[in-house]
Amino acid sequence: MPFQRLTWPVRTERLLVRPLGADDIPAVFAIRSRPAVARWMTACPDDYDEFTRAFSEPARTDTTLVMLHGGALVGDLYLAVSDAWGQHEVAAGTKRTQAEIGWCVDPSYAGQGFASEGAAELLRLCFDGLGLRRATAAAFAANTASIRVMEKIGMTIEGRGRRDCLHRDLGWVDGVTAAVLADEWRAGRPDPKPR
Ligand SMILES: CC(C)(COP(=O)(O)OP(=O)(O)OC[C@H]1O[C@@H](n2cnc3c(N)ncnc32)[C@H](O)[C@@H]1OP(=O)(O)O)[C@@H](O)C(=O)NCCC(=O)NCCS
């Protein structure tokens, strides 16, 4: 459980970031059930009880952080540590060396740089906090705002899968993957603030 290895909460210039708690679930549901948010997310939640059950399980509580600004929950962040791929003889060296990260912001607070600020903090947690070597992110290619967040925090777009993702409304569409390595991040942390 990587979050237990870190000290909470953490603060950025404008955000307080900490692991999801049971009291946060109504606000997270309210954000994630908004059509503009659900459009690009893995799931479109419509049943509060089902959502509460899912977000009370370790699969979510071990991977979900919330972002608070002035006491208001403005979005959530995803940080899931995993093993890299490696050949059998060196497989031990691949264990828990990378993470997938993600973000979601209340549309009422969009366009203020909160996703970029939270995502930049995710990288700090991945590399300084957890000592990981690589962080990845994925999005539908049409999700330009999310891809911009990846670029702003210093991730490199590594691939565009041709119609490799099935979207609930758009059908088979292109997906984008991005990554940043710990040493790249150390060499030049980009400023996540708007240009
Ligand atoms: C994607 C999302 C997290 C961005 O949140 P945000 O707090 O508005 O993002 P930021 O303010 O940090 O800025 C993101 C960048 O994208 C740009 N952007 C925002 N909306 C955009 C759009 N519709 N088209 C193109 N660029 C856009 C912003 O201008 C900014 O770039 P800039 O600083 O160079 O101007 C938010 O829109 C969201 O939650 N969307 C729905 C859920 C989602 O897509 N999650 C990610 C799944 S992969």
Side-chain angles (χ1 to χ4, degrees), residues 40 103-105 110-116 138 143-146 148 152:
W40 298 120
W103 35 79
C104 164
V105 165
Q112 299 179 46
F114 287 130
S116 305
N143 190 353
T144 41
S146 189
R148 182 76 192 116
K152 284 181 69 178

Side-chain angles (χ1 to χ4, degrees), residues 62-186:
D62 290 352
T63 57
T64 308
L65 301 169
V66 290
M67 295 185 274
L68 298 144
H69 173 66
L73 195 154
V74 299
D76 67 81
L77 299 165
Y78 176 72
L79 195 173
V81 176
S82 63
D83 302 341
W85 185 84
Q87 289 183 308
H88 178 73
E89 296 75 13
V90 287
T94 68
K95 301 296 176 200
R96 309 195 71 73
T97 53
Q98 63 183 20
E100 182 175 356
I101 58 172
W103 35 79
C104 164
V105 165
D106 183 340
S108 318
Y109 290 93
Q112 299 179 46
F114 287 130
S116 305
E117 193 169 323
E121 182 60 19
L122 282 177
L123 293 185
R124 195 192 65 77
L125 293 168
C126 285
F127 300 136
D128 273 355
L130 297 169
L132 304 178
R133 56 174 300 281
R134 176 176 158 92
T136 63
F140 289 109
N143 190 353
T144 41
S146 189
I147 292 168
R148 182 76 192 116
V149 171
M150 297 173 194
E151 291 170 343
K152 284 181 69 178
I153 63 170
M155 301 184 99
T156 298
I157 306 299
E158 291 189 331
R160 179 171 178 129
R162 293 178 304 126
R163 292 190 210 157
D164 64 345
C165 307
L166 184 55
H167 188 281
R168 67 179 83 86
D169 301 319
L170 305 173
W172 287 102
V173 293
D174 291 2
V176 162
T177 52
V180 60
L181 297 165
D183 50 6
E184 294 170 340
W185 177 80
R186 289 213 164 80

